[in-house]
Amino acid sequence: MRLHGETITVTWRVPTGEVDGGNKPVCRTETETIDDVLVKPGADENAANSTRPAGITAALTIAIPRVWTYRSLRNALVTIRGHDYRVIGDPLPVDGGITPTRWNLSVELTDTEG
């Protein structure tokens, strides 16, 4: 059996080099779709903090194929099956000639609601 992933969308906020009236950077969005991404559900966890009694945090791990031209995912938004998740950190692809599978970039995602 051959593994085949799904299509996701990644959105970045990219500074334009301009600033607004409050001296904050003006950004534009760039999006890209990536095919054949493996999606692994993580554990859901209730937010036990009293300021968010109905809150929940959902986590996923995705594996991006090595054919994708790497670009930093720091602060990117990933849309999977119509739901948005935030990238945790700034993941780097596995390098150095190790090629056990088609996927070389593992990315942790999170979303908090409530």
Side-chain angles (χ1 to χ4, degrees), residues 7-91:
T7 300
I8 66 167
T9 302
V10 181
T11 304
W12 292 268
R13 289 180 42 84
V14 180
T16 63
E18 301 172 3
V19 292
D20 65 13
N23 206 30
K24 295 192 180 193
V26 174
C27 294
R28 62 181 164 73
T29 58
E30 290 183 6
T31 61
E32 179 179 356
T33 58
I34 305 172
D35 294 322
D36 198 22
V37 175
L38 300 179
V39 179
K40 177 186 171 197
D44 289 343
E45 128 185 350
N46 289 326
N49 132 3
S50 64
T51 60
R52 295 180 42 240
I56 187 168
T57 299
L60 297 175
T61 301
I62 59 174
I64 297 177
R66 64 182 68 251
V67 296
W68 177 66
T69 302
Y70 174 78
R71 164 180 184 180
S72 174
L73 293 169
R74 180 178 298 281
N75 299 319
L77 187 71
V78 176
T79 305
I80 301 170
R81 301 174 199 149
H83 192 87
D84 295 332
Y85 298 90
R86 287 263 168 226
V87 172
I88 298 171
D90 192 11

Side-chain angles (χ1 to χ4, degrees), residues 85-107:
Y85 298 90
R86 287 263 168 226
V87 172
I88 298 171
D90 192 11
L92 295 171
V94 173
D95 201 3
I98 300 173
T99 57
T101 69
R102 292 192 317 258
W103 300 272
N104 72 330
L105 179 59
S106 180
V107 180

